[in-house]
Amino acid sequence: MPSNTAHTNVPPGAPLYAALDLGTNNCRLLVASPSGPAGFRVLDSFSRIIRLGEGLSSTGALSDAAMNRAEAALEACGQKLARRPVQVVNAVATEACRRATNGPGFMRRAERALGAPIRVIPAREEAELAMESCAPLLREGDRRALLFDIGGGSTEIAWIRTDGPEQPRLIGTISVPLGVVTLVERDGPACFSGDGFDRVVQEVAGRFETFDGVHRIRQEMRAGGVRLMGTSGTVTTLAGIALDLPRYSRAAVDGHELAMGCADRALEALRSMGPEGLAAHPCIGPERVDFVLPGCAIYAAIRQVWPAVGITVCDRGLREGLLLRAMRDRRRARRA
């Protein structure tokens, strides 16, 4: 799949698709057209931190300020969609809208702002879409894959079978209601201290141990043929630090095989920077300072429970999965 920041012309008459992910922390849009048998060319993109889940863990509801930020971002996305003859718009919302008591009312506002329907998807579908987008990074010889997605309001883990003639298949999934936004709101700057960071790691690891007990993932890893894959700002930041990038580059990071020793050193480097160092780093920036170490604590819990030899870094997720699914469905409909 191509870069999600390219802005390219397409042949006249080529079908255009859009995918929007309204998350707990970000609002992201891709507009693309099919390219080749199973890929696409990105025409336009949008990404803005909206902190939709701000205050949700304490009040159970979306705040007026958060809804206003999201609405403004959705209006900007709607303007992008209006500039192109987009035939299919797939827009989804995730954990914040699943949990909020005022979620249904907000969704009506959100749809008006975007000018298109938005579905609130369950956690399992979220994992399925991430799996679909990351499947092209699997390699021959992989029997299983463990895919993690550290979000704003939750962390999804997908356990995937990859050794059959069919497409990769989801064996099991878990959604832990701890993400970078929920941890920031609950624990504040705790992850900047050694003790606070370790407490979060042990709490999250305990949630994952239950999932491992059902599926025996550690045992499968010891047998070999299991690929650990990560799709989130946390894992792409770790890769950017490990590669010592002067600025973030999707082309350098997406699909990179990050050795665990390199990931460990990158994690320690991030923990040693402090807030000012994180804000100044070209792969992070001031808007993401509060979220980096909470995400790293969740990653460290994954690292503790499932000690793989490395991580396949995926700078792709829900939007790419939505696009691939929509394009595949259209091809099937044409053949029918």
Side-chain angles (χ1 to χ4, degrees):
M1 286 184 296
S3 165
N4 62 9
T5 57
H7 299 264
T8 313
N9 292 323
V10 295
L16 301 188
Y17 298 77
L20 182 136
D21 171 13
L22 180 62
T24 303
N25 201 36
N26 294 273
C27 177
R28 299 185 177 101
L29 171 75
L30 284 181
V31 180
S33 68
S35 176
F40 56 80
R41 180 182 294 110
V42 174
L43 310 178
D44 205 351
S45 63
F46 176 91
S47 181
R48 181 182 296 176
I49 293 176
I50 56 171
R51 304 190 312 279
L52 179 59
E54 184 178 58
L56 177 62
S57 57
S58 58
T59 67
L62 303 174
S63 71
D64 288 338
M67 290 188 288
N68 289 339
R69 288 192 297 268
E71 191 171 13
L74 290 166
E75 286 175 350
C77 291
Q79 291 166 8
K80 283 181 173 289
L81 294 177
R83 289 197 288 267
R84 296 181 183 272
V86 177
Q87 297 177 4
V88 178
V89 178
N90 281 335
V92 300
T94 57
E95 181 68 8
C97 295
R98 286 197 292 262
R99 290 177 53 196
T101 56
N102 57 346
F106 169 67
M107 293 309 298
R108 291 190 287 274
R109 286 178 56 183
E111 290 179 340
R112 284 196 299 270
L114 180 63
I118 305 174
R119 280 192 308 125
V120 180
I121 59 172
R124 184 177 179 89
E125 184 174 355
E126 194 172 345
E128 288 170 344
L129 289 165
M131 175 183 70
E132 187 152 354
S133 69
C134 296
L137 298 178
L138 293 166
R139 297 290 179 264
E140 187 175 349
D142 292 339
R143 298 184 304 108
R144 302 283 189 274
L146 184 68
L147 172 64
F148 65 89
D149 182 359
I150 301 169
S154 63
T155 298
E156 270 63 51
I157 304 287
W159 180 227
I160 302 164
R161 182 185 181 97
T162 65
D163 60 352
E166 68 278 358
Q167 290 290 322
R169 181 170 60 85
L170 195 60
I171 302 171
T173 182
I174 184 174
S175 179
V176 175
L178 293 172
V180 297
V181 173
T182 49
L183 287 176
V184 165
E185 293 200 341
R186 192 191 70 178
D187 298 325
C191 285
F192 282 94
S193 73
D195 289 345
F197 187 91
D198 292 341
R199 280 196 303 273
V200 172
V201 172
Q202 296 311 314
E203 176 188 357
V204 178
R207 306 282 192 108
F208 294 153
E209 286 285 0
T210 303
F211 188 65
D212 185 78
V214 173
H215 296 286
R216 306 296 185 192
I217 298 168
R218 268 197 303 265
Q219 182 176 324
E220 292 279 2
M221 284 183 162
R222 286 193 291 269
V226 177
R227 181 174 296 274
L228 180 64
M229 310 177 81
T231 170
S232 68
T234 297
V235 73
T236 57
T237 298
L238 285 169
I241 299 296
L243 292 168
D244 196 24
L245 297 178
R247 63 180 181 276
Y248 183 77
S249 165
R250 182 186 188 273
V253 165
D254 185 48
H256 178 69
E257 302 294 338
L258 183 60
M260 197 56 74
C262 295
D264 290 345
R265 288 190 290 275
L267 175 60
E268 290 309 310
L270 287 167
R271 294 186 64 186
S272 68
M273 286 181 190
E276 291 184 359
L278 292 171
H281 197 282
C283 289
I284 301 168
E287 279 195 318
R288 295 183 57 227
V289 168
D290 292 340
F291 308 119
V292 172
L293 292 190
C296 285
I298 297 172
Y299 158 75
I302 294 166
R303 165 83 170 89
Q304 177 177 303
V305 176
W306 295 299
V309 297
I311 310 167
T312 299
V313 181
C314 312
D315 189 350
R316 54 184 77 193
L318 288 189
R319 295 174 303 168
E320 290 83 358
L322 286 165
L323 288 171
L324 290 170
R325 179 182 288 181
M327 292 173 187
R328 185 184 67 240
D329 289 347
R330 183 185 176 95
R331 287 193 297 271
R332 285 177 177 170
R334 281 180 161 179
R335 291 195 296 265

